[in-house]
Amino acid sequence: IDRQSDDNFYSQPNLNVHADESFRQKLSELYNDLIPEGSVVLDMMSSHVSHLPPNKQLERLDVHGMNAKELIANEARKQTDGNYFVRNLNENPSFVGICGTAEYDAVLCCVGVQYLEEAETVIAEVGRILKPGSGIAIVSFTNRFFYQKALTGWIERGMKERARLVTDYFRAAGGFDQIDIAGDGMSAISQLLSVGGMGGDPYVAVVAKRNMDP
């Protein structure tokens, strides 16, 4: 585990993608199916790309992450004149001061949840900023990540156990119902093929709907 500060680790912009084309296409299709037109969306732990379908018309896409240059370069954000926020959620696991209560129709987190040291607290904050009764959170992941920054408990789990862990985060945080798991990446075969270099990145997404509780 790399003990250098997150601020130092992410200080240089990384304009690469962190999942293969098949993963990104499946995630884009999921976003297209679940995010209504005209939505206000936050892509948390984001970078220069948000994997949204190009034909999706949003009112605004805000992006959060650790490197301002990556977030400024995000084309989907620029197209909606969205905001960008830099905050280290491991030092301050909150969106207070940058995101309003019940502000968003959807909050997305692609290949970032494995780095959260206080995931339940952050997910509770996601619940706060989502619109009650209609807002959705989509947390997607694969088996590709920065091993030096991921939590040990994440590294030691397989994809099925990681999906269960993220589901437990939502349950523990409260404020969510209809927690579902999407994707074809939880089978042992898909993981073995991926590790052996013969298959693509396993794709899993946990989708949770904000309940009506204030």
Side-chain angles (χ1 to χ4, degrees):
I1 301 299
D2 191 333
R3 293 300 182 186
Q4 70 171 301
S5 72
D6 291 340
D7 292 336
N8 288 338
F9 186 83
Y10 297 106
S11 62
Q12 296 300 314
N14 183 347
L15 301 182
N16 296 310
V17 292
H18 302 290
D20 66 16
E21 183 177 357
S22 175
F23 178 102
R24 301 194 309 270
Q25 180 61 37
K26 291 171 185 176
L27 182 60
S28 179
E29 291 171 358
L30 183 71
Y31 287 168
N32 193 52
D33 290 342
L34 296 183
I35 301 173
E37 299 285 326
S39 291
V40 179
V41 177
L42 173 66
D43 187 12
M44 60 178 277
M45 307 184 77
S46 185
S47 64
H48 67 294
V49 61
S50 290
H51 309 302
L52 287 154
N55 61 340
K56 178 64 66 175
Q57 298 297 315
L58 301 177
E59 178 179 334
R60 191 179 81 243
L61 172 68
D62 294 341
V63 292
H64 155 268
M66 287 293 294
N67 187 281
K69 290 182 179 179
E70 293 180 11
L71 303 177
I72 290 169
N74 188 300
E75 288 294 333
R77 178 200 66 81
K78 290 192 285 187
Q79 289 171 7
T80 67
D81 197 25
N83 305 303
Y84 70 91
F85 316 110
V86 175
R87 176 169 291 181
N88 185 344
L89 294 176
N90 286 336
E91 292 184 353
N92 181 2
S94 158
F95 292 109
V96 171
I98 56 177
C99 299
T101 298
E103 182 173 358
Y104 294 100
D105 298 289
V107 175
L108 318 175
C109 181
C110 175
V111 297
V113 67
Q114 61 268 16
Y115 308 120
L116 289 174
E117 296 174 5
E118 297 184 44
E120 293 173 9
T121 302
V122 173
I123 295 296
E125 268 291 280
V126 169
R128 179 185 68 81
I129 64 178
L130 280 171
K131 295 178 180 178
S134 62
I136 59 168
I138 304 174
V139 176
S140 57
F141 50 91
T142 185
N143 62 357
R144 192 197 304 194
F145 46 85
F146 297 123
Y147 276 78
Q148 63 269 47
K149 279 296 178 182
L151 301 185
T152 301
W154 184 274
I155 295 171
E156 293 175 346
R157 286 173 164 85
M159 292 294 287
K160 187 175 182 179
E161 290 73 27
R162 291 167 184 161
R164 186 179 297 116
L165 178 64
V166 175
T167 299
D168 289 343
Y169 288 158
F170 279 106
R171 289 177 176 153
F176 294 92
D177 54 21
Q178 299 180 23
I179 304 171
D180 298 310
I181 300 172
D184 55 7
M186 291 187 292
S187 72
I189 292 176
S190 70
Q191 294 177 70
L192 287 172
L193 289 174
S194 174
V195 171
M198 295 179 288
D201 292 339
Y203 160 68
V204 176
V206 176
V207 181
K209 182 181 178 182
R210 179 68 163 82
N211 64 24
M212 289 295 298
D213 295 343

